Amino acid sequence: MEQRALPVAERLLSLRPVSWSEEEVRTGTAGLGWEWVATERGVSLSTGHPAGDARLTRVESYNVDYTDGEEVLGLHQPLEVVEGGTREHVEAFRRAFGELREGYGHPGVMGAYDTLASHFSGSPSWGAPFARWRDGELSLELRAALTGPVLTLLPSGPLESWYRRSYENCDGRMSGFLAIALEPLPFGDLSGMTMPGVNRHEDWKEYARLLSASLGTMAAEMTALGLERSFGLHGRVPGAGGPWVFGFDIGETMRLALYAAAGEGEVDLEDLEPEERGWIRATAPEDLEYEIAFHTEPTPYDEVNGTRLAMMVMEMAEDLGIPFPSDLSLTDWADRVQGGDGRPEYHLYHHGLGVIGNP
C-alpha cells in the first residue's frame, strides 16, 4: 500500500486545537468530514484512510495528573498496516519520516520511548522510535505502533509532563533515548522544554536489565530515524584511571568493541579470556589503528540480541574491576549527534545506557 504521510499531517495541523476540549476537537474534525464514533475502546474517527480509522485519546483518571485543563490528549491516524517483522516496520517508518522531513524540515525532537512504558499504548517490541515537530503548545509526532507508523496531533504539555515525571520517578528503570535540536528550526519551538537528566546506576544486575532492553532495540530505532552512531565509554578501571573501555557502532548493523586500554589496570585483559566470552580478536588494520583489541560480530539491526550483548558488557566491566555502572561515562562529544543530509546537531540523552558525558 502506498504511503502518503504529508496529506494526513496537513489535515491534522489544519485543526489547531487551542483548549483541547472534546467539543472543540469534535467540531474541528466534523469540519474535515470525519465521523465521530463511540466504541468499546473509546472514540474513533472515520477518516477514510486505507490504514484504518483515526483514534482519539481522552483524559482519564490514570493520566489526568499530566494535564492542565485538556480533555483530549491526541488524535492518532495510522499511516500504514505493516505485514512482516522488524525490517518491514523500520522501512515503513523511514518512508513516512522521509516524507514528513521533506515537508516540514528536520524535527526538533526525536528519540525512542521505553517499549514497556510509553505515553501511548501499544509500543512494538522491536523498538519505539518517534520524531516530533513541536510548535510550542502543539506537536505533530510520528511514532511506531504495533501495526505500523502512526501520525499524532497532540498538545505538547501533557506529553512532556508525562515524560519528565516518568523519567524522574523511575529510578533509572526506563530505557530509550532523547535527541533535542541545538539550533532553531523552521518548524519548531523548543523554548520552555525541560527534560530530565540521565539516571546513573549503582547495581550491575539492575543495570544489565536496562542495558539489555536498550541494546536490543537501539539499532533498529536509530535506523528508522536515519541515524548512525559511533562512540565509546570510559570506565574507571583500578590502576588505569578512566581509559576507553567499550565502543559502540550502531546503525544498520551493531557492533561492540573492547579497547586494549581496558587491560592497562590491575587486571590483564588476556587473563579474562575475552574469546571464551564471545569476543572476537581484532585483526583489521582500522581496528588496530584505533587500539581495539576485541569486538563482537557485526549484527543486522533486526537480529540484535540485546541480552547477550548486555551480559558481555556487564561481565567484562565487573571483572575488570569497574566498581559501579555509574563509573562508565561517554567519550568526548558522544552526547552529540549529527544526522547527516543537512540535519542539525542534536543533544542526545542516553536514558537506556544510563551514561553521561565524560566529567
Side-chain angles (χ1 to χ4, degrees), residues 336-350:
R336 298 289 190 271
V337 60
Q338 189 85 28
D341 298 325
R343 183 177 294 177
E345 188 175 31
Y346 293 80
H347 184 280
L348 200 145
Y349 296 85
H350 293 268

Side-chain angles (χ1 to χ4, degrees), residues 156-167:
S156 302
L159 168 61
E160 292 169 5
S161 177
W162 170 87
Y163 197 102
R164 183 172 60 253
R165 294 187 189 191
S166 297
Y167 276 85

Side-chain angles (χ1 to χ4, degrees), residues 14-353:
S14 72
L15 296 171
R16 293 279 168 180
V18 176
S19 67
W20 287 92
S21 68
E22 285 201 21
E23 180 180 358
E24 179 191 26
V25 174
R26 186 165 189 165
T27 300
T29 55
L32 294 176
W34 294 353
E35 183 182 356
W36 186 290
V37 181
T39 70
E40 291 183 357
R41 297 181 57 193
V43 174
S44 67
L45 296 166
S46 181
T47 62
H49 194 280
D53 291 342
R55 183 174 58 84
L56 180 144
T57 302
R58 288 167 154 156
V59 173
E60 305 287 353
S61 59
Y62 66 89
N63 54 31
V64 69
D65 290 343
Y66 309 124
T67 63
D68 186 23
E70 298 91 351
E71 296 176 350
V72 174
L73 295 181
L75 294 171
H76 318 276
Q77 174 62 62
L79 295 175
E80 183 174 349
V81 177
V82 179
E83 302 291 341
T86 297
R87 188 166 292 269
E88 288 77 15
H89 278 268
V90 167
E91 289 303 317
F93 188 98
R94 291 178 72 173
R95 287 194 296 272
F97 185 35
E99 186 180 345
L100 292 167
R101 199 167 53 207
E102 286 184 11
Y104 300 117
H106 297 291
V109 186
M110 58 183 174
Y113 295 110
D114 186 308
T115 56
L116 298 179
S118 169
H119 182 65
F120 308 101
S121 61
S123 293
S125 59
W126 66 263
F130 68 86
R132 188 182 315 141
W133 289 263
R134 182 184 187 272
D135 188 10
E137 297 180 358
L138 183 76
S139 287
L140 180 74
E141 179 166 300
L142 173 69
R143 61 185 177 85
L146 292 173
T147 58
V150 170
L151 197 57
T152 295
L153 183 75
L154 70 162
S156 302
L159 168 61
E160 292 169 5
S161 177
W162 170 87
Y163 197 102
R164 183 172 60 253
R165 294 187 189 191
S166 297
Y167 276 85
E168 285 175 347
N169 298 324
C170 73
D171 295 326
R173 294 188 299 271
M174 293 177 70
S175 65
F177 60 91
L178 181 71
I180 300 178
L182 293 174
E183 59 188 74
L185 298 173
F187 185 115
D189 174 13
L190 303 182
S191 61
M193 283 188 64
T194 57
M195 288 292 112
V198 175
N199 286 286
R200 310 304 301 279
H201 298 267
E202 301 300 323
D203 179 80
W204 281 111
K205 290 184 179 179
E206 181 67 29
Y207 180 66
R209 285 191 285 270
L210 182 70
L211 190 62
S212 173
S214 183
L215 295 182
T217 60
M218 191 179 294
E221 291 162 341
M222 288 192 171
T223 300
L225 292 166
L227 297 175
E228 292 184 351
R229 302 210 58 223
S230 181
F231 62 96
L233 295 182
H234 293 278
R236 188 158 65 88
V237 177
W244 280 36
V245 178
F246 300 108
F248 297 81
D249 291 309
I250 306 175
E252 294 207 8
T253 61
M254 184 174 209
R255 189 185 83 150
L256 272 57
L258 183 61
Y259 287 94
E264 294 176 358
E266 296 175 358
V267 178
D268 189 294
L269 190 57
E270 294 290 346
D271 289 345
L272 298 180
E273 300 181 330
E275 289 170 290
E276 297 297 320
R277 300 164 178 254
W279 295 90
I280 300 169
R281 187 175 297 274
T283 57
E286 58 268 28
D287 285 340
L288 299 179
E289 180 182 355
Y290 287 101
E291 299 182 344
I292 292 174
F294 298 90
H295 60 81
T296 62
E297 187 73 35
T299 305
Y301 68 80
D302 57 338
E303 298 178 12
V304 174
N305 185 328
T307 300
R308 178 176 180 272
L309 294 180
M311 294 305 297
M312 291 176 69
V313 170
M314 185 200 74
E315 290 176 355
M316 184 60 66
E318 280 193 300
D319 289 346
L320 285 169
I322 299 174
F324 305 104
S326 58
D327 292 306
L328 299 173
S329 61
L330 292 165
T331 50
D332 293 346
W333 302 106
D335 57 355
R336 298 289 190 271
V337 60
Q338 189 85 28
D341 298 325
R343 183 177 294 177
E345 188 175 31
Y346 293 80
H347 184 280
L348 200 145
Y349 296 85
H350 293 268
H351 295 297
L353 294 181

